[in-house]
Amino acid sequence: MLKKIVFLGCILSAAGSTYAQSVKINGKLQDTNHQAIEYAGVSILRLPDSVRVKGTLTDSLGNFSFSGIAKGKYFIKANFMGYKPYTGKPFNYDGNTTNMGALIMESQASQMLSTVTVVAQKPLIEQQIDKTVLNVENSILSEGNTALELLEKAPGVNVDHDGNVSLKGRSGTSVLINGKLTYLSGRELSNLLKGTNSSSISKIEVMSNPSSKYDAAGNGGIINIVMKKNTATGFNGSVTLNGGSSRKARYDSGATLNFRSEKLNAYGNYTYGYRGETEYLDFSRNFYDNGIASGKPDRTSFQDTKTDEPLHTHNFRAGVDYFLNDKNTLGFLINGNSGKYTHDSKTGNLLLDNTATTVISDALSHNYDKQSWESLTYNLNFVHKFNKEGYEIAADADYSSNSFTSLLNLDTKYKGVTGDYNDRPSFRKGYIPSTTDVYVGKIDYSQPFLKNGKLELGIKSSFVEADNNLSYDTLKNNQWVNDAGSSNYFRYNEQIHAGYLSVNKDLNSFSIQLGLRGEYTQTKGHQITSDSLVNRNYFQLFPSLFLTKAVNKDDKVQFAYSRRIERPGYGDLNPFRVFRDPFLFYQGNPFLKPELTHTLQLSHSIKGKYITAINYNYTKDVMNWVPGQIDSINTTFSTPLNLSSFVNYGISFTASTNITRWWSGSHFANLYRNEYKGNHQQGTLNNSMTSFSFNSQNTLRLGNGFSAEVSGLYHSKVVYGISSQKPFFVISSGIQKSLLNDMAVIKLMVNDIFQSKQLKRTTQYENIDMYTHINLDNRRAMLSFTYRFGNQNIKKRERTTGSEDVTERVKGG
C-alpha cells in the first residue's frame, strides 16, 4: 500500500509538471541606484478597504511574487530598514500573470535612522487558516514564565498537574518544538518545558485539525512551540536575565548568537534555568470491604504531602546552513537538553476506623527521588530548489540519544505508643535507568499543480529502541534485598513507515485541500522479567479534507475533517511500579491499544478577527489514566487503560478587539461536552459533563516606551475519565519599558496574582471514593531584562526535522 501511495504521488507529480506555472503578481524592489533590495517585506493590499491579503520577502535578487490572488483592485506596500516605506499606485488584477516591474525605494537620510517608528505589530493571538498562533515573543506575560506555563495562555489549551496537555477539552495533544517532538517521556517533557524560559520562544502554534502532511499522531491536535532563530546578515545576538520568586526562588539566563555571510549561516543559543518549587497535596480516600463505594466507609485515609522540587536545566541549540548555490542548501543542527530534578517530599498518612475517631495507623514517609537526564538530537537536512519556480525537494535524517536515571529512596515509619515515629520502619530504594534511541528519515517534495494549486508528497520512516531496567531493594535485617515482585526489565522496539499525498487548489473564492496519509506500525514489547511478549502490526489510512469558501470580502467559511491516531507512550506500556509512598503507586500497561479519532470542524470568520467554530470528535479505545484501590491493604494505584469511547463536541468563539488606539485584546471562549464510556473493573462507565473555558489577553500601550498586559483564564468543572475536576481561574499582569533606543526591554510580571489555580479532583466509581487537592506553586513575581545587539534585520531559514511522530512518546521510567 505504501508503494502504491508513493507511486501515485510520482505520477501526479509528473502530470503536474506539464501544466503552466501558477498565475501570479510579480515584481522587483530596487533602490535609486537600481540595486536589488534583498529580504525586504512586501505586502499586497485590497481596495477599497486596504486589507492586507498576503505578504512575502524579496529574494537575494530583490524579486517577489504573489500567487492565488483573486480578481480585483489592489496596491503594493514595502518596508525595509534604512528606506522610506513604499506605497504603490492602485491597479486592477484580471487573473492573468502581471509583472509590476521595478519598484523603487528611496533611502532615508542617515540622521533619520536614529529613531524607529513602529507602524505595526503582530497581535498576541493571530488566527490563520489552519491554526491559531500565540505570538509570545513580544508579550510581557511571557517573561519569567516557562514553556509549560505559556501553553496555558494559548486559546483552548489546558495543562494539568502532570504536564498532560488538552485542547478544547480533548486529551492526546502532541507537543512539538520547532516542528518536532522531544524524545522524552511525559514526566521528562514536563521537566523540559518547565526548564525552558520564555525568552527563547517566538510563538506557539495551535492546530486542532492538522493536514495529512503532519504525522497522524495526536488525537487532540498539535501544538508547536517555535523557538527564536535570529539569523540576520552579519553578526547579532541577544542576552536575557530573569529573576524572581514563587514560594522558592526562580532565575534563568540565556544568550543567542548568529552570524551570516554570503555562503554560511551559523546560529546557536544556550539557556540555564533554576526553578524552585513547593507544593502541598491532600488526599482523602474511603475504603469499603464490600467493594462498593456507598454508605458509611469501613476506613478513611487522610494523606497530606509537602514537596520541595528544585529543578536545574541546560538547553542548547546550534546549527549551520551552507548555501552551496542559489538552488541547494545543506544544513546541520544539534539540539540538547540536560537537567537534574529532585522530588523531596514528606507525607503523613492517618488511617481511621469507621467511627472516624480511632486511629488504625499513623505513618510518616520520606520520599527522595533524584532524577537526571540527557538528550541529544542530531539533524542533517538538505533542500534543493528546481529551476522551475515552486518545485522543491527536502530531505532530513535524525538521530536522537536519550538517557534518564532515577534514584529513589522511600522511608516509612509509624507512630508508636510513645508518640514518636519509630515503629515498624520500612526502607525501599529504587534504581530506574532508561535509554531510548530514535532514528528518523524523511523526504518531502512539492510543486505547483494545475492553476493556483500545489502538490505535496513525501515518505518517512522511524525506528525506536527503548531499554528500561528497574530494580527495587528493601532493607531486611540491616541488609538490602532485591524486591523481585516490584523489579522489572522491559524492552520496546517500534518502527513506523509512512507516506502522504496532499493536493491544494484555489478556485477564485473557493479552495480545497485533499490529503491522504498511510502509516504501517510494527511494535514489540518484551517484559524480560516474566518473559512476556506483546507484538502488534497494523496499517492505517488517515484522510484529511479542507474546504474554504469566501462568502464576500469579509466573511469566510471553512470545513475540515481528519482521522488521527494516538499511540501509547513507551513508558505507559511499561509495567513498572513507581511508588509515591507505601500506599500509592503508578503502573504501566503493556496491553494498551492505540486510540483512533475522527475530527470534524465547521468555522466562520469575519475579517479574520471574529471566528466561530463548531467541532465534533469521536475517539475509539481512548486511553486514560484510571485510579484503582486495593481495599484489603488500604492502597491506591493508577494505571492507563483503554475505555470504549470518548466523544467531544462544542462551539468556540475567538475575537480580536481594538477597543481604543491604546487598548487591544484577544479573547477565546469554548463551550464543550465530554462523554466517556467503557467497562472498568466490574462496572460500566458513563461519565459526561458540559464545560466552559474562557481566555482573555489585553495589551495597553501607555506611551513613552511603556506598555502593559492583563490576562485572565477560567475553566469550569470538567470530567476526565472516571474523575471530575472543580473550576479554577487565573489572573496575571505585567508591565514593560523599552530602553537604549529600543535595543533593550525591562519587564515585570506577576502570574496568578490571587493564587487561585487550585486543582481539586473528585473520583467516585465502584469501590473508589477519593478527593484530591493540589495547591500549586503558581503565583510568582518575575523581573526580566533583554538586550539585543548587532544587526537585527532578520532573514530566517526555519527548519523542521524528520522526527515528528515518535519523540513525545519516549518514556524514561
Side-chain angles (χ1 to χ4, degrees):
M1 180 63 70
L2 182 60
K3 292 180 179 178
K4 292 180 180 178
I5 292 173
V6 176
F7 180 66
L8 176 61
C10 293
I11 293 176
L12 291 175
S13 173
S17 65
T18 65
Y19 286 88
Q21 297 295 304
S22 300
V23 294
K24 53 186 175 291
I25 299 170
N26 53 37
K28 176 180 289 190
L29 274 188
Q30 294 181 345
D31 61 19
T32 54
N33 295 319
H34 300 287
Q35 297 297 311
I37 302 176
E38 57 179 346
Y39 315 128
V42 184
S43 301
I44 182 168
L45 295 89
R46 182 179 61 209
L47 289 171
D49 49 12
S50 298
V51 172
R52 181 178 180 271
V53 178
K54 285 189 176 182
T56 187
L57 292 177
T58 59
D59 61 17
S60 60
L61 300 177
N63 297 312
F64 66 88
S65 65
F66 300 101
S67 60
I69 304 297
K71 296 179 181 179
K73 194 172 185 179
Y74 300 92
F75 67 97
I76 301 292
K77 293 191 71 172
N79 287 279
F80 194 65
M81 183 174 290
Y83 293 86
K84 295 179 181 179
Y86 172 86
T87 300
K89 295 180 180 180
F91 65 95
N92 290 309
Y93 177 58
D94 59 4
N96 295 315
T97 298
T98 301
N99 191 334
M100 304 299 296
L103 310 182
I104 306 301
M105 295 187 72
E106 296 182 13
S107 176
Q108 288 180 317
S110 60
Q111 63 266 25
M112 295 296 294
L113 296 179
S114 60
T115 60
V116 177
T117 301
V118 178
V119 295
Q121 180 175 317
K122 288 184 178 180
L124 185 60
I125 298 179
E126 183 179 7
Q127 185 68 40
Q128 299 181 8
I129 188 171
D130 59 344
K131 58 193 170 188
T132 301
V133 181
L134 185 65
N135 294 302
V136 300
E137 185 168 354
N138 298 312
S139 170
I140 303 167
L141 296 177
S142 68
E143 295 300 331
N145 279 301
T146 68
L148 190 65
E149 292 157 348
L150 280 180
L151 288 182
E152 296 180 330
K153 302 181 185 298
V157 176
N158 183 44
V159 183
D160 69 13
H161 177 255
D162 298 318
N164 298 309
V165 181
S166 60
L167 179 59
K168 292 185 177 181
R170 297 155 50 195
S171 58
T173 303
S174 294
V175 178
L176 314 182
I177 296 180
N178 282 339
K180 58 178 296 181
L181 295 171
T182 53
Y183 297 95
L184 300 174
S185 69
R187 182 195 307 174
E188 295 167 338
L189 175 64
S190 176
N191 287 340
L192 169 63
L193 296 179
K194 287 178 181 178
T196 302
N197 66 56
S198 57
S199 63
S200 59
I201 297 174
S202 172
K203 58 186 175 181
I204 297 174
E205 300 174 336
V206 180
M207 292 169 276
S208 59
N209 206 347
S211 71
S212 61
K213 181 177 180 178
Y214 290 93
D215 297 285
N219 281 339
I222 291 175
I223 296 175
N224 183 28
I225 300 174
V226 180
M227 311 300 288
K228 294 178 182 177
K229 184 182 177 184
N230 186 8
T231 56
T233 302
F235 176 77
N236 68 67
S238 65
V239 293
T240 300
L241 299 172
N242 289 292
S245 180
S246 53
R247 292 178 181 136
K248 294 290 181 70
R250 298 187 179 195
Y251 50 85
D252 55 67
S253 60
T256 299
L257 297 175
N258 309 274
F259 174 76
R260 183 185 179 94
S261 65
E262 182 180 353
K263 284 288 187 180
L264 192 68
N265 172 40
Y267 53 92
N269 62 62
Y270 167 79
T271 59
Y272 165 76
Y274 171 79
R275 181 183 60 83
E277 183 175 49
T278 293
E279 291 186 344
Y280 302 94
L281 301 87
D282 295 298
F283 302 89
S284 63
R285 293 169 287 179
N286 292 321
F287 299 96
Y288 301 84
D289 289 337
N290 60 4
I292 300 176
S294 63
K296 192 174 183 180
D298 295 286
R299 293 169 305 284
T300 300
S301 168
F302 297 97
Q303 181 173 323
D304 61 274
T305 300
K306 178 183 178 181
T307 70
D308 183 16
E309 304 175 65
L311 169 68
H312 299 263
T313 58
H314 303 267
N315 298 292
F316 74 90
R317 175 181 172 88
V320 59
D321 297 324
Y322 181 65
F323 306 104
L324 303 172
N325 50 49
D326 60 348
K327 299 296 183 183
N328 298 281
T329 301
L330 181 66
F332 174 78
L333 65 89
I334 177 173
N335 287 316
N337 69 81
S338 64
K340 294 182 179 180
Y341 165 78
T342 302
H343 176 92
D344 187 359
S345 65
K346 292 185 178 180
T347 300
N349 192 304
L350 183 65
L351 183 66
L352 304 178
D353 68 359
N354 58 2
T355 67
T357 57
T358 302
V359 177
I360 299 176
S361 68
D362 187 353
L364 181 64
S365 297
H366 182 200
N367 186 320
Y368 188 83
D369 185 7
K370 190 173 183 180
Q371 302 175 11
S372 61
W373 65 91
E374 182 178 278
S375 176
L376 290 173
T377 302
Y378 306 89
N379 169 258
L380 181 65
N381 57 81
F382 174 75
V383 175
H384 172 70
K385 296 183 179 181
F386 295 89
N387 291 328
K388 292 184 178 181
E389 184 177 351
Y391 288 73
E392 180 177 295
I393 188 169
D396 285 87
D398 287 76
Y399 167 67
S400 177
S401 172
N402 308 271
S403 63
F404 172 87
T405 302
S406 172
L407 298 174
L408 172 68
N409 286 276
L410 177 60
D411 305 335
T412 302
K413 297 180 180 180
Y414 296 84
K415 182 179 287 188
V417 294
T418 61
D420 297 324
Y421 288 98
N422 56 14
D423 189 31
R424 293 176 291 153
S426 63
F427 302 93
R428 174 187 295 273
K429 68 177 182 179
Y431 174 60
I432 310 173
S434 173
T435 60
T436 305
D437 293 320
V438 182
Y439 307 84
V440 180
K442 75 167 186 173
I443 299 175
D444 296 293
Y445 172 78
S446 63
Q447 68 162 71
F449 184 67
L450 300 177
K451 291 184 179 181
N452 299 327
K454 185 177 183 180
L455 170 72
E456 296 178 290
L457 58 92
I459 57 175
K460 176 178 179 180
S461 291
S462 64
F463 302 85
V464 177
E465 299 175 352
D467 189 289
N468 305 266
N469 192 358
L470 179 150
S471 176
Y472 276 122
D473 294 328
T474 57
L475 190 64
K476 294 182 179 180
N477 300 322
N478 293 322
Q479 290 187 344
W480 289 106
V481 179
N482 180 257
D483 184 356
S486 299
S487 300
N488 198 9
Y489 186 14
F490 182 75
R491 300 187 69 177
Y492 181 82
N493 295 91
E494 175 188 273
Q495 53 179 293
I496 301 174
H497 306 284
Y500 76 89
L501 176 67
S502 177
V503 178
N504 186 305
K505 183 74 172 68
D506 290 333
L507 301 168
N508 294 324
S509 62
F510 183 80
S511 64
I512 181 172
Q513 179 176 303
L514 287 168
L516 181 64
R517 186 179 188 91
E519 293 189 354
Y520 170 76
T521 304
Q522 178 179 322
T523 65
K524 182 174 72 173
H526 188 191
Q527 189 174 342
I528 297 175
T529 303
S530 60
D531 196 22
S532 173
L533 189 65
V534 179
N535 283 314
R536 282 202 171 98
N537 300 274
Y538 52 90
F539 176 79
Q540 295 282 349
L541 288 174
F542 303 97
S544 64
L545 170 66
F546 296 85
L547 302 173
T548 303
K549 171 66 177 177
V551 180
N552 53 48
K553 65 178 183 179
D554 292 330
D555 294 346
K556 184 182 294 183
V557 178
Q558 184 183 61
F559 171 79
Y561 164 78
S562 67
R563 183 175 187 258
R564 304 189 62 76
I565 189 173
E566 182 72 7
R567 299 178 180 88
Y570 310 135
D572 295 343
L573 294 167
N574 191 338
F576 280 7
R577 182 171 291 186
V578 179
F579 290 89
R580 176 60 61 88
D581 62 48
F583 315 100
L584 177 64
F585 65 85
Y586 305 88
Q587 182 170 309
N589 177 7
F591 301 102
L592 274 179
K593 297 183 292 184
E595 58 183 45
L596 293 164
T597 296
H598 295 272
T599 299
L600 298 97
Q601 180 169 291
L602 179 65
S603 61
H604 175 240
S605 172
I606 302 176
K607 295 182 179 180
K609 291 185 175 182
Y610 310 101
I611 301 164
T612 303
I614 300 173
N615 64 278
Y616 175 85
N617 310 277
Y618 174 81
T619 302
K620 179 183 178 183
D621 294 323
V622 60
M623 295 178 291
N624 194 269
W625 276 87
V626 178
Q629 274 185 190
I630 307 174
D631 293 272
S632 58
I633 57 175
N634 308 312
T635 298
T636 302
F637 64 90
S638 186
T639 189
L641 297 174
N642 287 111
L643 303 179
S644 297
S645 66
F646 169 62
V647 175
N648 164 271
Y649 55 91
I651 183 171
S652 63
F653 304 91
T654 304
S656 298
T657 58
N658 291 283
I659 300 173
T660 68
R661 294 182 61 184
W662 50 270
W663 180 6
S664 61
S666 298
H667 320 282
F668 177 82
N670 185 31
L671 180 67
Y672 62 96
R673 184 171 179 82
N674 287 345
E675 298 178 354
Y676 289 90
K677 293 183 180 180
N679 297 316
H680 174 52
Q681 295 184 3
Q682 305 302 316
T684 299
L685 172 67
N686 191 346
N687 197 16
S688 60
M689 182 177 295
T690 300
S691 304
F692 174 76
S693 66
F694 177 73
N695 184 309
S696 179
Q697 305 276 348
N698 298 271
T699 301
L700 310 175
R701 289 174 287 275
L702 307 178
N704 295 323
F706 282 96
S707 59
E709 287 184 19
V710 179
S711 75
L713 65 88
Y714 171 79
H715 288 279
S716 71
K717 188 176 181 180
V718 64
V719 294
Y720 176 74
I722 67 174
S723 303
S724 63
Q725 184 169 286
K726 291 189 175 182
F728 68 85
F729 70 94
V730 176
I731 302 293
S732 304
S733 184
I735 189 170
Q736 76 173 24
K737 175 71 167 70
S738 298
L739 304 169
L740 304 176
N741 294 323
D742 291 334
M743 296 297 285
V745 175
I746 187 169
K747 304 180 182 183
L748 174 66
M749 63 81 62
V750 180
N751 189 77
D752 196 359
I753 297 173
F754 303 104
Q755 187 65 46
S756 49
K757 186 174 183 180
Q758 306 283 317
L759 301 185
K760 301 177 181 179
R761 182 171 291 182
T762 301
T763 305
Q764 291 182 319
Y765 177 78
E766 291 295 304
N767 66 323
I768 304 170
D769 184 2
M770 180 170 61
Y771 173 76
T772 303
H773 176 201
I774 302 176
N775 188 340
L776 299 172
D777 194 354
N778 208 44
R779 177 170 57 190
R780 62 196 168 279
M782 300 292 295
L783 181 67
S784 71
F785 176 78
T786 300
Y787 177 71
R788 302 186 304 274
F789 54 88
N791 182 8
Q792 297 295 320
N793 296 329
I794 302 170
K795 177 198 173 186
K796 296 183 180 180
R797 179 184 180 237
E798 296 291 351
R799 284 299 305 158
T800 60
T801 65
S803 46
E804 298 166 354
D805 64 337
V806 296
T807 51
E808 188 186 37
R809 299 166 50 231
V810 177
K811 294 298 182 178

